């Protein structure tokens, strides 16, 4: 440590090397603990040792602070979260931008400003027409075109499809770029097959403008109950005879609400969103300064409402998003830590894009 600090090449210009500011701290062969020198030399050595130890303790404290800083920054800069076997990435800052991706499903939800990785998801689900959720759509399409990727499939609430068509036509005229896509108006109660083992269905949400959430289901075949007692050769014989021996079972994997107030929780037809393996929902407001009434007025959820309706969430994991930009990471963590013991272990906060006190 002393060798490094005594090298002027390694120090900022406003810090003098030890040789200049504290020449007495230099290790010298003429000063040793047993050099037999005068008592004044011994006293001076002890005094200098105390100075040295005091100086090093300052360095040690600085190094500890630096280590804490590095840990905090590593947490701030961590990209995405891993929950229930899914890696989920993205950013969701209330009023600024929302785009949440599940790369293993090849899907993205909303496209506020088009993060670079979003362009590589083939299926995009738009919940509503506020710009912090749809503003990046032209850029998403242009980027895919730039990379020679196939036209994506973009899902929108039926009531905004015509406006989206007009919006994209304006961008095509201005930019002289094709902006290819398959635009699907997917309404409540409808089902779209993403691939042979994956389908999507919208569900009703409650924002200040028309909105909807989406549930992604895995699809599997399950042997019908009346054939459960049969052995392999018997089942094979039935199958070869053309008899349908299985039922199609849909299992809700990931649900995404977008912006909504708490009324979506009480919608009987939204049961699949509340029992999906992962629920990605919003919690725009966390404190008393912006209470539940304020949240409802603006079509958003307050964290207290999630606590209030905790018994309805049968999800294995809940990813909270869309916090107001007024909060820092520490505010979010502190608020989430106050959730009920049964709810807290399965709640994760997406804090990408938020500032830390560090």
């Amino acid at each position: 440590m002393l060798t490094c600090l005594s090298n002027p090449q390694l120090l900022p210009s406003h810090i003098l090397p030890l040789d200049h500011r504290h020449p007495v701290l230099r290790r010298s062969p003429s000063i040793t603990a047993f050099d037999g020198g005068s008592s004044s030399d011994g006293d001076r050595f002890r005094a200098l040792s105390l100075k040295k130890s005091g100086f090093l303790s300052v360095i040690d404290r600085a190094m500890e602070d630096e280590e804490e800083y590095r840990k905090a920054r590593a947490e701030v800069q961590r990209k995405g979260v891993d929950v229930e076997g899914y890696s989920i990435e993205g950013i969701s800052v209330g009023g600024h931008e929302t785009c949440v991706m599940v790369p293993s499903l090849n899907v993205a939800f909303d496209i506020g400003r088009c993060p670079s990785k979003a362009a590589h998801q083939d299926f995009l689900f738009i919940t509503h027409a506020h710009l912090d959720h749809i503003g990046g759509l032209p850029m998403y399409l242009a980027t895919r075109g730039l990379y020679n990727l196939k036209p994506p499939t973009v899902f929108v609430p039926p009531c905004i499809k015509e406006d989206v068509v007009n919006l994209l036509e304006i961008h095509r005229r201005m930019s002289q770029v094709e902006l290819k896509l398959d635009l699907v108006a997917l309404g409540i109660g409808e089902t779209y097959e993403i691939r042979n083992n994956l389908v999507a269905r919208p569900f009703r949400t409650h924002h200040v403008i028309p909105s909807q959430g989406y549930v992604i289901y895995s699809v599997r075949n399950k042997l019908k109950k009346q054939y459960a007692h049969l052995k392999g050769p018997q089942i094979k014989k039935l199958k070869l005879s053309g008899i349908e021996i299985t039922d199609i079972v849909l299992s809700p994997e990931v649900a995404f609400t977008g912006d909504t107030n708490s009324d979506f929780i009480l919608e009987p037809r939204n049961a699949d969103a509340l029992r999906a393996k992962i629920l990605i929902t919003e919690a725009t407001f966390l404190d008393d300064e912006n209470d539940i009434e304020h949240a409802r007025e603006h079509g958003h959820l307050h964290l207290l409402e999630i606590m209030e309706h905790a018994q309805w969430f049968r999800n294995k994991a809940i990813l909270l998003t869309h916090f107001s930009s007024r909060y820092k990471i520490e505010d979010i963590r502190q608020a989430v830590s106050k959730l009920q013991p049964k709810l807290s272990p399965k709640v994760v906060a997406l804090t990408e894009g938020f500032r830390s006190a560090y």
Side-chain angles (χ1 to χ4, degrees), residues 42-315:
D43 292 342
R44 182 172 62 181
F45 174 76
R46 285 191 293 274
L48 295 177
S49 296
L50 288 174
K51 282 187 178 181
K52 184 191 296 183
S53 64
F55 183 78
L56 290 178
S57 68
V58 172
I59 296 176
D60 290 339
R61 286 197 300 272
M63 291 177 65
E64 290 174 2
D65 290 343
E66 175 70 11
E67 182 63 22
E68 288 299 316
Y69 171 80
R70 289 179 185 275
K71 288 179 180 178
R73 288 305 303 165
E75 183 65 23
V76 171
Q77 294 170 357
R78 187 169 63 92
K79 304 292 184 183
V81 295
D82 295 317
V83 288
E84 294 300 320
Y86 288 98
S87 177
I88 301 176
E89 303 179 37
I91 182 170
S92 184
V93 182
H96 290 260
E97 64 175 308
T98 289
C99 182
V100 178
M101 296 158 280
V102 188
S104 64
L105 300 180
N106 199 17
V107 304
F109 298 102
D110 287 338
I111 192 80
R113 296 188 187 180
C114 190
S116 59
K117 193 164 187 176
H120 296 277
Q121 313 309 312
D122 292 340
F123 299 91
L124 173 62
F125 294 85
I126 302 294
T127 61
H128 65 288
H130 278 154
L131 286 180
D132 58 321
H133 293 259
I134 199 174
L137 178 57
M139 190 64 188
Y140 165 76
L141 300 174
T143 303
R144 288 185 63 90
L146 181 66
Y147 294 158
N148 292 317
L149 299 173
K150 68 178 183 179
T153 303
V154 178
F155 303 89
V156 297
C159 62
I160 70 169
K161 180 179 180 180
E162 185 178 348
D163 290 332
V164 172
V165 169
N166 293 335
L167 172 69
L168 294 178
E169 191 55 41
I170 291 171
H171 279 281
R172 290 186 183 103
R173 288 202 304 269
M174 291 193 302
S175 64
Q176 298 297 302
V177 175
E178 289 187 86
L179 301 181
K180 295 179 180 180
L181 80 161
D182 178 16
L183 185 62
V184 178
L186 194 62
I188 306 296
E190 296 180 319
T191 300
Y192 185 94
E193 185 179 65
I194 297 174
R195 55 179 190 249
N196 60 3
N197 64 346
L198 209 65
V199 301
R201 287 178 177 170
F203 64 92
R204 193 177 308 281
T205 56
H206 299 265
H207 195 37
V208 293
I209 63 173
S211 64
Q212 63 188 37
Y214 298 91
V215 180
I216 309 297
Y217 298 82
S218 61
V219 182
R220 60 187 177 88
N221 292 318
K222 184 179 180 180
L223 186 67
K224 291 183 177 181
K225 289 183 179 180
Q226 63 263 39
Y227 305 128
H229 66 286
L230 299 180
K231 294 182 179 179
Q234 295 172 303
I235 294 173
K236 183 177 180 180
K237 186 177 180 180
L238 285 173
K239 187 175 182 180
L240 290 175
S241 69
I243 295 176
E244 184 60 57
I245 61 173
T246 60
D247 290 319
I248 296 176
V249 178
L250 302 183
S251 299
E253 297 289 327
V254 178
F256 182 84
T257 68
D259 290 3
T260 182
N261 66 29
S262 62
D263 289 348
F264 93 92
I265 300 170
L266 303 178
E267 285 269 356
R269 295 183 180 181
N270 289 354
D272 283 354
L274 300 178
R275 70 181 185 92
K277 188 178 292 185
I278 303 169
L279 171 63
I280 306 171
T281 190
E282 68 135 286
T284 303
F285 300 109
L286 306 173
D287 53 21
D288 295 333
E289 184 177 343
N290 298 279
D291 58 15
I292 292 176
E293 183 179 351
H294 177 84
R296 290 188 63 81
E297 180 183 348
H298 291 83
H300 292 299
L301 265 166
H302 195 290
L303 187 65
L304 291 177
E305 294 179 283
I306 293 176
M307 298 174 67
E308 179 183 341
H309 297 293
Q311 73 272 22
W312 300 111
F313 296 106
R314 293 186 291 159
N315 316 93

